[in-house]
């Protein structure tokens, strides 16, 4: 990739400033006549794989609330074409622009569908196939993405805002640098209090609803990739219908302000270690730890939830003795041109706190 590689901890440290740069860059691109066709899309279909797919929960939720027909689909499900989907614009997300499944989705999209790529790295193979491109600006990123993933959420929010005709005054990114710094400080303290118990858990569940489904899915992925802990993401109401019965020596990450609060209290009251990430005034008690977020728009909230998740996995990795970016499996069929094995070198030091 042309964006330079940094460590996970470096990404955390520079995150706020990077997100402000991304927001500024994407706003300028969306105002350009070159992207006029994107603003006219009425049935956008979002696609991606891995963390990119998780991020797509944000614009889909926003657009549906605005009355715009929208959905997300794994790139692997449309590798052979978009038949069966009523869409006029396929918006594909791939930070490096080399994901083989996403490239195939573009290659086989039905004629007449506007193919829009959201990337960090430009130029890229996906960008070469696209009719329209939006990019984050080749931001340096860690392999377990500290900048590209939340930057993608920022860009997707701005794209959704453009599609829905959101007023500029409702742009949620003007204070994101200060918000990420404050939430990171809060998360560092809270996570330090649960890291020893959390590191001994054999599995984790991440549970939420709405746009924060992105956070649950990204949280489960980070716990698997970084901490090497078995983890799963669930929708709140589905979790209540039986999935929570398997709780036992598990870490529970619960995001939300509604039924999620009672859920977190039920889990912790039964003796299960639970981290509630909420804007509500909820007191920590016993097995319940709480990170309080500022009230903000859903997309900004997802970014701040991600800040908490990244600190959680950094500390749990340190506690378990797993170097943050020591990936195990190198699958050679997921990226066009194969893998850059330097991505699998350990490129992070454990935090001292």
């Amino acid at each position: 990739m042309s964006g330079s590689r940094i460590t996970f901890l470096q990404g955390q440290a520079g995150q706020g400033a990077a997100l402000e740069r991304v927001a500024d860059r994407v706003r300028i691109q969306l105002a350009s006549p070159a992207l006029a066709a994107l603003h006219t899309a009425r049935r956008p279909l979002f696609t991606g794989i891995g963390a990119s797919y998780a991020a797509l929960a944000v614009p889909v939720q926003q657009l549906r609330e605005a009355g715009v027909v929208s959905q997300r689909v794994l790139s692997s499900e449309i590798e052979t074409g978009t038949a069966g989907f009523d869409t006029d614009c396929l918006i594909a997300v791939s930070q490096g622009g080399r994901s083989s499944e996403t490239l195939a989705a573009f290659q086989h999209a039905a004629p007449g569908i506007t193919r829009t790529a959201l990337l960090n790295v430009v130029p890229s193979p996906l960008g070469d196939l696209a009719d329209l491109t939006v990019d984050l600006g080749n931001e340096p990123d860690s392999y377990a993405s500290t900048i590209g993933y939340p930057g993608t959420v920022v860009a997707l929010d701005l794209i959704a805002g453009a599609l829905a005709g959101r007023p500029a005054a409702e742009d949620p990114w003007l204070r994101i640098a200060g918000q990420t710094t404050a939430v990171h400080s809060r998360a560092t303290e809270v996570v330090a209090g649960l890291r020893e118990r959390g590191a001994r858990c054999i599995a984790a569940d991440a549970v939420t609803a709405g746009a924060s489904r992105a956070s649950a899915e990204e949280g489960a992925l980070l716990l698997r990739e970084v901490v090497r802990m078995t983890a799963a993401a669930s929708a709140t109401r589905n979790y209540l219908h039986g999935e929570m019965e398997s709780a036992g020596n598990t870490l529970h990450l619960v995001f939300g302000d509604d039924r999620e609060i009672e859920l977190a209290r039920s889990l912790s009251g039964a003796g299960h270690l639970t981290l509630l990430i909420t804007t509500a005034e909820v007191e920590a008690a016993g097995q319940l730890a709480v990170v309080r977020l500022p009230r903000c728009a859903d997309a900004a909230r997802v970014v701040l939830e991600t800040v908490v998740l990244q600190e959680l996995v950094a500390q749990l990795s340190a506690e378990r003795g797993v170097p943050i970016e020591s990936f195990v499996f190198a699958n050679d069929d997921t990226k066009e041109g194969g893998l850059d094995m330097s991505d699998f070198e350990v490129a992070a030091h454990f935090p001292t706190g």
Side-chain angles (χ1 to χ4, degrees):
M1 61 183 290
S2 55
S4 58
R5 185 68 72 205
I6 57 176
T7 70
F8 192 94
L9 302 183
Q10 287 171 332
Q12 284 183 292
Q15 192 171 65
L19 296 182
E20 287 196 340
R21 290 193 299 270
V22 167
D24 288 342
R25 182 176 180 85
V26 173
R27 288 189 201 101
I28 291 169
Q29 291 174 82
L30 289 173
S32 167
L35 290 179
L38 178 59
H39 293 257
T40 64
R42 291 295 174 264
R43 301 182 307 282
L45 176 64
F46 293 87
T47 193
I49 203 84
S52 294
Y53 176 77
L56 298 177
V58 175
V60 167
Q61 181 73 18
Q62 291 172 294
L63 289 170
R64 286 176 178 170
E65 290 177 355
V68 178
V69 174
S70 178
Q71 58 186 313
R72 62 174 174 154
V73 61
L74 285 165
S75 300
S76 57
E77 296 179 20
I78 54 172
E79 282 183 306
T80 57
T82 51
F85 291 92
D86 181 17
T87 180
D88 59 355
C89 183
L90 180 61
I91 301 176
V93 179
S94 176
Q95 291 177 35
R98 296 194 301 118
S99 294
S100 58
E101 304 88 351
T102 309
L103 284 164
F106 258 20
Q107 289 165 342
H108 295 102
I113 294 176
T114 300
R115 298 172 299 176
T116 301
L118 174 56
L119 311 155
N120 181 25
V121 176
V122 287
S124 73
L126 189 68
D128 292 342
L129 291 173
D131 302 306
L132 306 174
T133 61
V134 179
D135 72 84
L136 310 186
N138 284 308
E139 285 288 338
D141 198 10
S142 52
Y143 193 69
S145 180
T146 46
I147 304 297
Y149 174 79
T152 294
V153 173
V154 171
L156 286 168
D157 168 79
L158 292 169
I159 290 171
L163 291 173
R166 182 177 67 193
E170 296 178 13
D171 185 319
W173 306 112
L174 301 179
R175 296 181 296 152
I176 193 60
Q179 289 175 325
T180 58
T181 298
V183 168
H184 182 254
S185 177
R186 208 169 303 153
T188 299
E189 181 179 350
V190 172
V191 172
L194 62 80
R195 62 183 274 173
E196 184 177 353
R197 289 174 294 164
R200 294 198 303 267
C201 291
I202 61 170
D205 284 342
V207 186
T208 191
S212 290
R213 290 280 297 275
S215 299
E217 292 173 18
E218 170 69 356
L221 181 59
L222 282 173
L223 285 164
R224 285 174 173 270
E225 284 186 334
V226 179
V227 186
R228 297 187 197 163
M229 178 185 289
T230 300
S234 299
T236 301
R237 300 305 305 189
N238 213 38
Y239 195 68
L240 296 171
H241 280 265
E243 290 184 356
M244 66 186 295
E245 295 303 320
S246 66
N249 194 21
T250 43
L251 170 63
H252 297 270
L253 310 179
V254 182
F255 308 81
D257 306 329
D258 299 314
R259 183 61 174 85
E260 293 79 19
I261 294 173
E262 183 182 346
L263 170 62
R265 286 173 171 156
S266 296
L267 289 164
S268 59
H272 305 298
L273 182 60
T274 304
L275 174 60
L276 173 65
I277 302 156
T278 183
T279 66
E281 295 183 10
V282 178
E283 294 296 324
Q287 297 293 307
L288 178 62
V290 180
V291 174
R292 181 101 182 272
L293 302 180
R295 294 192 179 276
C296 55
D298 285 349
R301 177 177 181 145
V302 167
V303 166
L304 298 178
E305 289 167 345
T306 303
V307 170
V308 179
L309 289 169
Q310 290 173 351
E311 182 58 25
L312 175 70
V313 299
Q315 291 203 37
L316 291 185
S317 291
E319 189 69 28
R320 296 183 91 170
V322 179
I324 292 177
E325 301 193 286
S326 57
F327 285 73
V328 177
F329 297 104
N331 298 308
D332 62 5
D333 61 345
T334 61
K335 303 294 181 185
E336 182 174 283
L339 292 171
D340 180 352
M341 293 311 296
S342 66
D343 283 339
F344 288 81
E345 296 174 359
V346 176
H349 301 288
F350 287 141
T352 57

